[in-house]
Amino acid sequence: MSDTKTSSGPGVVHTVRSYASRVVWVIALIAALALAIGALLIALKANQANSLVDFVLNAADTADLGLFSRENGIKQFGGEDAEIKNALFNWGLGALAWLIVGRIVAGFIRP
């Protein structure tokens, strides 16, 4: 009898789960990074007509999943600099949520 692993053995499952957990973690990191950079760009009052700034803000708008939206998020501020406060608070929470949930899901998938 030989002790070589077949292509459908537990080694393949371990490898696939390992890669899948890394993919989940990378997606969560990218989403959190988009939200954090987007909030920073809003706080710095970056030129939103710039294509790179526009791309990051669109990515952040997608990553906020509507729950952490700067226009209709968890908490809405009013008054002076409300847009900045909304972006920093809601997108900051969104980035934190992506990191926490991404880490938990990746941990469940990881062998």
Side-chain angles (χ1 to χ4, degrees):
M1 287 206 204
S2 69
D3 289 326
T4 60
K5 293 182 181 178
T6 63
S7 63
S8 63
V12 172
V13 172
H14 183 275
T15 303
V16 169
R17 288 181 63 189
S18 179
Y19 281 122
S21 72
R22 288 183 196 147
V23 167
V24 166
W25 180 237
V26 167
I27 289 170
L29 281 176
I30 290 170
L33 190 60
L35 288 169
I37 293 173
L40 180 63
L41 291 173
I42 295 291
L44 295 175
K45 298 180 181 175
N47 179 10
Q48 294 184 18
N50 181 299
S51 61
L52 182 58
V53 172
D54 184 53
F55 174 78
V56 172
L57 293 179
N58 285 334
D61 281 332
T62 302
D64 71 21
L65 303 175
L67 180 63
F68 301 104
S69 170
R70 59 187 160 133
E71 287 91 18
N72 191 19
I74 292 178
K75 174 137 176 75
Q76 292 300 303
F77 295 92
E80 189 175 338
D81 294 329
E83 181 185 17
I84 294 170
K85 293 174 188 174
N86 288 333
L88 288 174
F89 184 83
N90 289 310
W91 281 357
L93 277 179
L96 187 61
W98 270 105
L99 292 175
I100 291 170
V101 171
R103 194 53 144 173
I104 290 169
V105 172
F108 281 128
I109 295 171
R110 189 176 307 111

XYZ file of all heavy atoms in Angstrom:
823
model
N 0.827 -1.168 0.000
C 0.000 0.000 0.000
C 0.880 1.243 0.000
O 1.883 1.288 0.673
C -0.866 0.017 1.243
C -1.968 -0.949 1.228
S -3.131 -0.201 2.308
C -4.056 -1.479 2.855
N 0.423 2.247 -0.705
C 1.194 3.479 -0.733
C 0.496 4.545 0.104
O -0.721 4.559 0.249
C 1.356 3.974 -2.175
O 0.121 4.419 -2.668
N 1.278 5.462 0.648
C 0.743 6.525 1.496
C 0.634 7.845 0.745
O 0.563 8.896 1.367
C 1.640 6.717 2.726
C 1.511 5.551 3.694
O 0.405 5.004 3.781
O 2.505 5.219 4.351
N 0.611 7.814 -0.560
C 0.492 9.059 -1.321
C -0.939 9.551 -1.279
O -1.884 8.782 -1.258
C 0.920 8.860 -2.794
O 0.074 7.874 -3.372
C 2.371 8.429 -2.881
N -1.082 10.885 -1.266
C -2.418 11.485 -1.224
C -2.995 11.553 -2.622
O -2.311 11.844 -3.582
C -2.340 12.894 -0.628
C -1.945 12.887 0.824
C -1.929 14.302 1.366
C -1.509 14.281 2.817
N -1.429 15.605 3.383
N -4.260 11.300 -2.705
C -4.936 11.433 -3.985
C -5.369 12.877 -4.168
O -5.384 13.664 -3.233
C -6.166 10.505 -4.056
O -7.091 10.912 -3.054
C -5.770 9.061 -3.858
N -5.765 13.212 -5.375
C -6.148 14.591 -5.664
C -7.446 14.998 -4.982
O -7.778 16.158 -4.935
C -6.261 14.797 -7.174
O -7.287 13.964 -7.686
N -8.191 14.047 -4.446
C -9.436 14.380 -3.764
C -9.333 14.139 -2.262
O -10.338 14.104 -1.576
C -10.585 13.565 -4.353
O -10.351 12.190 -4.126
N -8.141 13.984 -1.757
C -7.949 13.693 -0.346
C -8.049 14.921 0.540
O -8.336 16.028 0.099
N -7.808 14.716 1.820
C -7.929 15.792 2.794
C -6.920 16.921 2.567
O -7.173 18.045 2.958
C -7.686 15.122 4.135
C -7.371 13.705 3.876
C -7.497 13.444 2.423
N -5.813 16.631 1.925
C -4.827 17.676 1.644
C -5.374 18.736 0.709
O -5.106 19.931 0.872
N -6.171 18.331 -0.267
C -6.764 19.274 -1.219
C -7.809 20.127 -0.514
O -7.872 21.342 -0.705
C -7.376 18.520 -2.418
C -8.167 19.455 -3.300
C -6.296 17.822 -3.205
N -8.627 19.514 0.319
C -9.646 20.254 1.064
C -8.983 21.285 1.964
O -9.424 22.436 2.046
C -10.536 19.293 1.874
C -11.470 20.058 2.795
C -11.301 18.369 0.958
N -7.912 20.883 2.619
C -7.164 21.799 3.494
C -6.638 22.980 2.694
O -6.752 24.133 3.126
C -6.011 21.024 4.155
C -5.233 21.831 5.122
N -4.194 22.637 4.737
C -5.354 21.959 6.463
C -3.688 23.227 5.791
N -4.375 22.828 6.863
N -6.081 22.711 1.528
C -5.534 23.765 0.676
C -6.625 24.710 0.182
O -6.463 25.928 0.216
C -4.789 23.149 -0.520
O -3.763 22.281 -0.030
C -4.186 24.212 -1.402
N -7.742 24.163 -0.261
C -8.842 24.988 -0.757
C -9.394 25.860 0.363
O -9.636 27.055 0.174
C -9.952 24.106 -1.376
C -11.213 24.909 -1.645
C -9.451 23.452 -2.646
N -9.588 25.296 1.547
C -10.091 26.086 2.670
C -9.102 27.160 3.072
O -9.503 28.273 3.440
C -10.393 25.174 3.854
C -11.639 24.317 3.630
C -11.945 23.436 4.797
N -12.247 24.247 5.973
C -12.379 23.746 7.195
N -12.219 22.459 7.390
N -12.661 24.534 8.207
N -7.835 26.860 3.001
C -6.808 27.841 3.330
C -6.842 29.018 2.355
O -6.820 30.185 2.764
C -5.435 27.172 3.313
O -4.437 28.092 3.609
N -6.913 28.716 1.063
C -6.998 29.781 0.053
C -8.303 30.567 0.176
O -8.309 31.791 0.039
C -6.864 29.217 -1.359
C -5.440 28.918 -1.754
C -5.062 27.640 -2.144
C -4.467 29.907 -1.736
C -3.765 27.352 -2.489
C -3.158 29.632 -2.080
C -2.809 28.347 -2.471
O -1.521 28.080 -2.820
N -9.400 29.873 0.431
C -10.688 30.556 0.563
C -10.680 31.522 1.741
O -11.198 32.639 1.644
C -11.811 29.537 0.719
N -10.083 31.115 2.853
C -10.020 32.010 4.011
C -9.158 33.232 3.708
O -9.480 34.336 4.134
C -9.504 31.275 5.246
O -8.128 30.992 5.135
N -8.103 33.048 2.949
C -7.262 34.193 2.553
C -8.023 35.135 1.636
O -7.900 36.356 1.766
C -6.000 33.707 1.858
C -5.017 33.059 2.794
C -3.759 32.668 2.078
N -3.010 31.725 2.885
C -2.275 30.756 2.412
N -2.172 30.578 1.109
N -1.630 29.948 3.218
N -8.794 34.595 0.712
C -9.577 35.426 -0.207
C -10.608 36.247 0.566
O -10.762 37.448 0.329
C -10.251 34.555 -1.289
C -11.307 35.333 -2.052
C -9.217 33.983 -2.237
N -11.299 35.619 1.511
C -12.276 36.333 2.330
C -11.600 37.456 3.103
O -12.097 38.591 3.159
C -13.000 35.362 3.286
C -13.772 36.104 4.366
C -13.919 34.445 2.513
N -10.447 37.184 3.693
C -9.732 38.189 4.474
C -9.252 39.340 3.580
O -9.356 40.510 3.952
C -8.579 37.550 5.227
C -7.797 38.532 6.043
C -6.468 38.780 5.956
C -8.281 39.399 7.072
N -6.110 39.751 6.860
C -7.203 40.146 7.564
C -9.546 39.617 7.618
C -7.329 41.093 8.567
C -9.665 40.571 8.628
C -8.577 41.293 9.090
N -8.766 39.033 2.392
C -8.299 40.084 1.474
C -9.471 40.959 1.025
O -9.342 42.185 0.958
C -7.553 39.470 0.267
C -7.350 40.487 -0.839
C -6.216 38.906 0.715
N -10.615 40.363 0.747
C -11.798 41.140 0.358
C -12.204 42.069 1.497
O -12.514 43.250 1.276
C -12.950 40.209 -0.046
C -12.631 39.539 -1.382
C -14.279 40.969 -0.136
C -13.576 38.429 -1.760
N -12.208 41.558 2.722
C -12.557 42.390 3.878
C -11.552 43.523 4.055
O -11.936 44.665 4.352
C -12.612 41.532 5.140
N -10.274 43.245 3.858
C -9.248 44.286 3.965
C -9.416 45.367 2.902
O -9.295 46.563 3.199
C -7.845 43.676 3.841
C -7.283 43.004 5.074
C -5.935 42.365 4.747
C -7.124 43.990 6.197
N -9.699 44.962 1.691
C -9.884 45.929 0.603
C -11.105 46.808 0.879
O -11.054 48.032 0.692
C -9.993 45.210 -0.754
C -8.635 44.613 -1.135
C -10.488 46.154 -1.844
C -8.676 43.688 -2.327
N -12.196 46.212 1.339
C -13.397 46.989 1.649
C -13.132 47.965 2.793
O -13.527 49.137 2.722
C -14.549 46.054 1.997
N -12.466 47.504 3.834
C -12.150 48.377 4.967
C -11.214 49.503 4.549
O -11.379 50.653 4.968
C -11.521 47.562 6.100
N -10.255 49.180 3.711
C -9.321 50.193 3.229
C -10.028 51.231 2.366
O -9.767 52.433 2.492
C -8.195 49.520 2.440
C -7.005 50.373 2.052
C -6.325 50.930 3.290
C -6.018 49.562 1.238
N -10.946 50.796 1.519
C -11.712 51.738 0.692
C -12.527 52.683 1.572
O -12.564 53.894 1.321
C -12.630 50.977 -0.268
N -13.154 52.160 2.606
C -13.936 53.001 3.506
C -13.048 53.978 4.276
O -13.388 55.161 4.415
C -14.736 52.134 4.478
C -15.907 51.385 3.871
C -16.449 50.347 4.853
C -17.001 52.342 3.456
N -11.920 53.509 4.764
C -11.023 54.373 5.530
C -10.426 55.472 4.657
O -10.396 56.647 5.058
C -9.913 53.540 6.172
N -9.974 55.117 3.472
C -9.405 56.123 2.579
C -10.482 57.085 2.096
O -10.258 58.292 1.995
C -8.667 55.457 1.399
C -7.428 54.725 1.904
C -8.274 56.494 0.352
C -6.733 53.894 0.850
N -11.678 56.567 1.830
C -12.792 57.425 1.428
C -13.129 58.444 2.503
O -13.339 59.631 2.215
N -13.179 58.013 3.754
C -13.451 58.931 4.861
C -12.348 59.980 4.981
O -12.628 61.166 5.213
C -13.588 58.153 6.165
N -11.121 59.554 4.786
C -10.002 60.494 4.845
C -10.096 61.523 3.714
O -9.861 62.721 3.935
C -8.677 59.733 4.758
C -7.410 60.579 4.796
C -7.295 61.314 6.130
C -6.190 59.723 4.542
N -10.450 61.069 2.534
C -10.587 61.996 1.404
C -11.702 63.003 1.634
O -11.570 64.182 1.277
C -10.818 61.222 0.103
C -9.637 60.410 -0.412
C -10.053 59.560 -1.603
C -8.480 61.319 -0.773
N -12.799 62.568 2.229
C -13.887 63.491 2.562
C -13.414 64.483 3.616
O -13.665 65.691 3.519
C -15.136 62.721 3.061
C -15.714 61.849 1.957
C -16.190 63.675 3.617
C -16.359 62.593 0.816
N -12.717 63.991 4.629
C -12.238 64.863 5.706
C -11.236 65.895 5.192
O -11.216 67.028 5.666
C -11.610 64.029 6.820
N -10.422 65.505 4.231
C -9.429 66.427 3.662
C -10.023 67.305 2.566
O -9.306 68.121 1.990
C -8.239 65.642 3.105
C -7.404 64.879 4.132
C -6.331 64.049 3.433
C -6.776 65.844 5.118
N -11.306 67.107 2.293
C -12.018 67.861 1.252
C -11.301 67.755 -0.090
O -11.054 68.740 -0.781
C -12.202 69.318 1.657
C -13.034 69.472 2.903
C -13.211 70.909 3.299
C -14.050 70.955 4.580
N -14.181 72.293 5.106
N -10.969 66.523 -0.443
C -10.276 66.244 -1.709
C -11.182 66.590 -2.883
O -12.413 66.537 -2.779
C -9.873 64.780 -1.777
N -10.580 66.927 -3.993
C -11.298 67.299 -5.207
C -12.036 66.075 -5.745
O -11.427 65.163 -6.300
C -10.310 67.841 -6.244
C -10.969 68.221 -7.540
O -12.186 68.264 -7.648
N -10.140 68.509 -8.535
N -13.349 66.072 -5.610
C -14.139 64.913 -6.023
C -14.290 64.816 -7.529
O -14.798 63.823 -8.041
C -15.499 64.936 -5.324
C -15.360 64.755 -3.829
C -16.690 64.686 -3.112
O -17.722 64.438 -3.713
N -16.658 64.887 -1.805
N -13.834 65.832 -8.256
C -13.826 65.765 -9.718
C -12.627 64.971 -10.224
O -12.608 64.528 -11.374
C -13.810 67.166 -10.308
N -11.653 64.739 -9.356
C -10.478 63.940 -9.707
C -10.917 62.492 -9.881
O -11.656 61.953 -9.054
C -9.427 64.065 -8.593
C -8.169 63.291 -8.882
O -8.225 62.067 -9.026
N -7.054 63.972 -8.931
N -10.461 61.845 -10.935
C -10.920 60.487 -11.242
C -10.488 59.471 -10.183
O -11.240 58.542 -9.875
C -10.458 60.052 -12.626
O -9.057 60.055 -12.696
N -9.306 59.620 -9.597
C -8.853 58.682 -8.566
C -9.684 58.856 -7.291
O -10.105 57.864 -6.679
C -7.370 58.882 -8.270
C -6.757 57.930 -7.247
C -6.925 56.483 -7.690
C -5.298 58.254 -7.021
N -9.927 60.095 -6.902
C -10.758 60.365 -5.727
C -12.166 59.829 -5.965
O -12.753 59.194 -5.090
C -10.778 61.876 -5.404
C -11.790 62.190 -4.308
C -9.388 62.357 -5.006
N -12.703 60.073 -7.147
C -14.031 59.591 -7.493
C -14.090 58.063 -7.437
O -15.060 57.482 -6.931
C -14.427 60.092 -8.888
C -15.838 59.698 -9.263
O -16.768 59.990 -8.479
O -16.018 59.101 -10.352
N -13.059 57.396 -7.935
C -13.006 55.935 -7.900
C -13.030 55.427 -6.460
O -13.774 54.495 -6.131
C -11.753 55.430 -8.622
C -11.549 53.947 -8.496
C -12.299 53.073 -9.268
C -10.635 53.427 -7.597
C -12.128 51.696 -9.154
C -10.458 52.060 -7.462
C -11.209 51.193 -8.252
N -12.222 56.020 -5.582
C -12.158 55.581 -4.181
C -13.498 55.828 -3.487
O -13.985 54.972 -2.744
C -11.005 56.286 -3.433
C -11.055 55.989 -1.945
C -9.664 55.864 -4.005
N -14.106 56.983 -3.733
C -15.392 57.276 -3.103
C -16.489 56.340 -3.607
O -17.350 55.914 -2.825
C -15.781 58.735 -3.329
C -14.886 59.767 -2.629
C -15.350 61.177 -2.946
C -14.831 59.535 -1.132
N -16.461 55.997 -4.885
C -17.430 55.026 -5.413
C -17.204 53.644 -4.803
O -18.160 52.926 -4.492
C -17.364 54.954 -6.933
C -18.010 56.153 -7.589
O -18.888 56.785 -7.023
N -17.568 56.467 -8.793
N -15.930 53.255 -4.645
C -15.617 51.969 -4.010
C -16.104 51.964 -2.561
O -16.661 50.970 -2.089
C -14.121 51.692 -4.076
N -15.916 53.077 -1.871
C -16.372 53.178 -0.483
C -17.896 53.148 -0.414
O -18.464 52.517 0.484
C -15.828 54.442 0.162
N -18.556 53.812 -1.353
C -20.019 53.769 -1.390
C -20.522 52.341 -1.602
O -21.553 51.954 -1.049
C -20.567 54.681 -2.500
C -20.577 56.135 -2.095
O -20.696 56.430 -0.884
O -20.465 56.999 -2.990
N -19.807 51.567 -2.384
C -20.173 50.167 -2.595
C -19.882 49.334 -1.347
O -20.705 48.504 -0.945
C -19.397 49.590 -3.796
O -19.686 50.372 -4.949
C -19.775 48.152 -4.048
N -18.743 49.571 -0.722
C -18.329 48.780 0.436
C -19.169 49.078 1.680
O -19.218 48.253 2.589
C -16.852 49.020 0.743
N -19.838 50.238 1.714
C -20.617 50.551 2.916
C -21.919 49.759 2.998
O -22.578 49.748 4.034
C -20.875 52.054 3.053
C -21.859 52.630 2.054
O -22.672 51.896 1.467
O -21.812 53.855 1.862
N -22.291 49.072 1.911
C -23.443 48.178 1.863
C -24.762 48.863 2.243
O -25.724 48.204 2.587
C -23.232 46.959 2.777
C -21.997 46.107 2.498
C -21.859 45.024 3.548
C -22.043 45.519 1.110
N -24.795 50.178 2.203
C -25.999 50.920 2.546
C -26.213 51.072 4.040
O -26.847 52.013 4.492
N -25.673 50.173 4.820
C -25.833 50.223 6.268
C -24.976 51.317 6.884
O -25.390 51.995 7.825
C -25.470 48.865 6.872
C -25.577 48.730 8.379
C -27.015 48.931 8.828
C -25.089 47.373 8.818
N -23.793 51.513 6.347
C -22.849 52.496 6.873
C -22.721 53.698 5.934
O -21.693 54.361 5.895
C -21.478 51.855 7.087
C -21.507 50.701 8.040
C -21.447 49.406 7.581
C -21.628 50.913 9.397
C -21.480 48.334 8.460
C -21.667 49.856 10.283
C -21.595 48.563 9.820
N -23.770 53.991 5.199
C -23.764 55.062 4.219
C -23.506 56.416 4.879
O -23.993 56.688 5.973
C -25.101 55.091 3.485
O -25.206 56.238 2.693
N -22.791 57.275 4.196
C -22.551 58.609 4.762
C -23.775 59.500 4.620
O -23.907 60.475 5.335
C -21.328 59.261 4.133
C -21.407 59.435 2.648
C -20.087 59.939 2.093
N -20.046 59.652 0.677
C -19.691 60.520 -0.231
N -19.294 61.709 0.118
N -19.693 60.186 -1.490
N -24.698 59.175 3.724
C -25.915 59.964 3.587
C -27.044 59.441 4.475
O -27.899 60.196 4.907
C -26.422 59.962 2.128
C -25.595 60.806 1.192
C -24.490 60.001 0.530
O -24.571 58.754 0.534
O -23.548 60.619 0.012
N -27.085 58.143 4.723
C -28.192 57.553 5.470
C -27.676 56.380 6.299
O -28.196 55.278 6.235
C -29.291 57.091 4.498
C -30.561 56.730 5.201
O -30.779 57.122 6.336
N -31.405 55.967 4.537
N -26.645 56.631 7.079
C -26.002 55.565 7.829
C -26.560 55.376 9.220
O -27.686 55.788 9.529
N -25.775 54.791 10.076
C -26.173 54.486 11.434
C -26.444 55.754 12.236
O -27.414 55.843 12.966
C -25.090 53.624 12.111
C -25.078 52.258 11.449
C -25.327 53.514 13.603
C -24.056 51.312 11.969
N -25.585 56.746 12.096
C -25.761 58.019 12.797
C -25.597 59.142 11.795
O -24.709 59.116 10.967
C -24.720 58.153 13.910
C -24.737 59.497 14.598
C -24.603 59.357 16.073
C -24.527 60.679 16.773
N -25.769 61.384 16.876
N -26.484 60.122 11.900
C -26.421 61.288 11.029
C -26.173 62.531 11.864
O -26.872 62.771 12.847
C -27.724 61.444 10.232
C -27.933 60.353 9.204
C -26.820 60.307 8.188
O -26.524 61.274 7.516
N -26.166 59.160 8.095
N -25.183 63.294 11.471
C -24.859 64.538 12.130
C -25.449 65.688 11.335
O -25.656 65.584 10.134
C -23.337 64.715 12.232
C -22.674 63.693 13.108
C -22.171 62.509 12.580
C -22.572 63.895 14.471
C -21.568 61.564 13.379
C -21.966 62.953 15.287
C -21.466 61.790 14.740
N -25.711 66.780 11.982
C -26.200 67.982 11.321
C -25.257 69.132 11.604
O -24.291 69.016 12.347
N -25.538 70.238 10.984
C -24.759 71.436 11.255
C -23.498 71.526 10.427
O -23.378 70.926 9.355
N -22.558 72.281 10.973
C -21.314 72.543 10.270
C -20.485 71.265 10.138
O -20.374 70.481 11.081
C -20.509 73.587 11.048
C -19.301 74.095 10.319
C -18.600 75.205 11.083
O -19.236 75.846 11.934
O -17.422 75.415 10.812
N -19.941 71.061 8.972
C -19.094 69.896 8.659
C -19.809 68.559 8.876
O -19.181 67.560 9.221
C -17.798 69.930 9.467
C -16.899 71.090 9.098
O -16.924 71.494 7.924
O -16.170 71.596 9.984
N -21.105 68.538 8.661
C -21.876 67.309 8.851
C -21.413 66.216 7.898
O -21.347 65.044 8.289
C -23.364 67.583 8.664
N -21.079 66.574 6.660
C -20.639 65.565 5.693
C -19.370 64.866 6.171
O -19.239 63.648 6.069
C -20.414 66.193 4.316
C -19.983 65.184 3.280
C -19.635 65.797 1.932
O -19.421 67.020 1.847
O -19.552 65.019 0.963
N -18.453 65.639 6.720
C -17.194 65.069 7.218
C -17.459 64.161 8.411
O -16.942 63.038 8.491
C -16.198 66.195 7.583
C -15.782 66.963 6.324
C -14.981 65.631 8.298
C -14.991 68.223 6.595
N -18.274 64.623 9.339
C -18.593 63.818 10.526
C -19.305 62.526 10.140
O -19.012 61.460 10.684
C -19.462 64.622 11.483
C -18.750 65.799 12.112
C -19.719 66.636 12.930
C -19.089 67.915 13.394
N -20.062 68.793 14.077
N -20.255 62.636 9.206
C -20.976 61.440 8.757
C -20.037 60.439 8.110
O -20.127 59.235 8.373
C -22.090 61.819 7.778
C -23.250 62.512 8.445
O -23.509 62.308 9.622
N -23.947 63.335 7.689
N -19.139 60.919 7.255
C -18.205 60.013 6.581
C -17.256 59.367 7.580
O -17.041 58.147 7.547
C -17.418 60.763 5.515
N -16.697 60.156 8.483
C -15.743 59.606 9.448
C -16.417 58.603 10.389
O -15.860 57.531 10.654
C -15.087 60.727 10.252
C -14.081 61.583 9.493
C -13.623 62.745 10.354
C -12.892 60.760 9.040
N -17.601 58.936 10.873
C -18.272 58.039 11.815
C -18.787 56.777 11.130
O -18.453 55.661 11.535
C -19.429 58.774 12.509
C -20.105 57.948 13.559
C -19.583 57.878 14.837
C -21.252 57.222 13.272
C -20.188 57.099 15.812
C -21.859 56.447 14.242
C -21.331 56.388 15.515
N -19.610 56.962 10.100
C -20.247 55.805 9.466
C -19.254 54.937 8.712
O -19.286 53.711 8.823
C -21.386 56.264 8.548
C -22.563 56.781 9.335
O -23.038 56.144 10.256
N -23.040 57.967 8.987
N -18.382 55.549 7.920
C -17.414 54.743 7.181
C -16.350 54.166 8.107
O -15.813 53.084 7.857
C -16.788 55.540 6.049
C -17.684 55.634 4.851
C -18.903 55.046 4.689
C -17.430 56.339 3.646
N -19.418 55.343 3.450
C -18.532 56.142 2.788
C -16.386 57.133 3.193
C -18.611 56.695 1.519
C -16.460 57.685 1.931
C -17.568 57.465 1.107
N -16.046 54.862 9.203
C -15.127 54.302 10.194
C -15.702 53.052 10.834
O -15.016 52.034 10.993
N -16.989 53.127 11.206
C -17.658 51.934 11.747
C -17.723 50.821 10.709
O -17.549 49.645 11.040
C -19.072 52.283 12.195
C -19.257 52.897 13.568
C -20.728 53.200 13.815
C -18.723 52.001 14.645
N -17.994 51.199 9.468
C -18.056 50.201 8.400
C -16.727 49.494 8.203
O -16.684 48.273 8.033
N -15.634 50.259 8.236
C -14.302 49.658 8.086
C -14.024 48.694 9.234
O -13.528 47.580 9.023
C -13.231 50.746 8.027
N -14.369 49.112 10.441
C -14.178 48.249 11.601
C -15.018 46.977 11.487
O -14.539 45.871 11.771
C -14.532 49.015 12.873
C -14.247 48.338 14.192
C -12.755 48.058 14.335
C -14.726 49.202 15.329
N -16.261 47.130 11.039
C -17.139 45.964 10.876
C -16.583 44.996 9.835
O -16.609 43.772 10.037
C -18.546 46.418 10.482
N -16.095 45.520 8.705
C -15.502 44.654 7.679
C -14.327 43.868 8.253
O -14.179 42.672 7.970
C -15.033 45.465 6.475
C -16.062 45.645 5.429
C -16.779 46.773 5.160
C -16.506 44.666 4.470
N -17.633 46.554 4.117
C -17.491 45.284 3.665
C -16.162 43.344 4.222
C -18.132 44.607 2.631
C -16.808 42.678 3.197
C -17.777 43.302 2.413
N -13.483 44.524 9.047
C -12.321 43.836 9.614
C -12.737 42.756 10.602
O -12.204 41.643 10.579
C -11.390 44.847 10.282
C -10.687 45.813 9.344
C -9.888 46.835 10.144
C -9.785 45.078 8.364
N -13.699 43.065 11.458
C -14.131 42.085 12.467
C -14.838 40.901 11.814
O -14.501 39.742 12.069
C -15.027 42.766 13.524
C -14.196 43.733 14.368
C -15.715 41.728 14.411
C -15.019 44.633 15.272
N -15.819 41.188 10.967
C -16.575 40.113 10.327
C -15.683 39.311 9.382
O -15.771 38.076 9.333
C -17.816 40.680 9.594
C -18.490 39.619 8.748
C -18.794 41.271 10.588
N -14.814 39.993 8.642
C -13.892 39.291 7.746
C -12.988 38.336 8.489
O -12.739 37.218 8.046
N -12.499 38.776 9.657
C -11.621 37.922 10.452
C -12.375 36.712 10.999
O -11.863 35.588 11.005
C -11.021 38.746 11.593
C -9.881 38.086 12.264
C -8.880 37.709 11.243
N -7.532 37.860 11.745
C -6.491 37.465 11.081
N -6.635 36.915 9.901
N -5.299 37.618 11.545
N -13.595 36.941 11.447
C -14.400 35.839 11.997
C -14.735 34.819 10.904
O -14.567 33.608 11.095
C -15.683 36.380 12.668
C -15.314 37.136 13.943
C -16.663 35.259 12.961
C -16.458 37.920 14.545
N -15.198 35.301 9.744
C -15.561 34.394 8.652
C -14.336 33.639 8.154
O -14.387 32.433 7.908
C -16.264 35.163 7.511
C -16.457 34.278 6.290
C -17.597 35.711 7.991
N -13.214 34.343 8.006
C -11.986 33.677 7.561
C -11.556 32.619 8.575
O -11.062 31.554 8.201
C -10.878 34.700 7.352
N -11.762 32.893 9.860
C -11.420 31.920 10.891
C -12.284 30.672 10.824
O -11.809 29.570 11.079
N -13.573 30.841 10.474
C -14.447 29.677 10.323
C -14.061 28.838 9.122
O -14.171 27.614 9.154
C -15.911 30.102 10.187
C -16.573 30.453 11.475
C -17.244 31.637 11.630
C -16.525 29.587 12.572
C -17.870 31.966 12.826
C -17.137 29.892 13.766
C -17.812 31.090 13.896
N -13.632 29.484 8.063
C -13.281 28.763 6.838
C -11.931 28.075 6.967
O -11.756 26.946 6.503
C -13.267 29.731 5.636
C -14.658 30.278 5.380
C -12.719 29.028 4.393
C -14.702 31.389 4.353
N -10.982 28.744 7.634
C -9.620 28.215 7.752
C -9.628 26.850 8.405
O -10.332 26.620 9.377
C -8.780 29.182 8.581
C -7.314 28.853 8.576
C -6.469 29.877 9.333
N -6.719 31.234 8.873
C -7.327 32.167 9.606
N -7.751 31.890 10.819
N -7.525 33.368 9.135
N -8.835 25.925 7.876
C -8.797 24.567 8.457
C -8.133 24.542 9.824
O -7.399 25.354 10.200
C -7.983 23.775 7.443
C -7.287 24.742 6.584
C -8.011 26.038 6.713
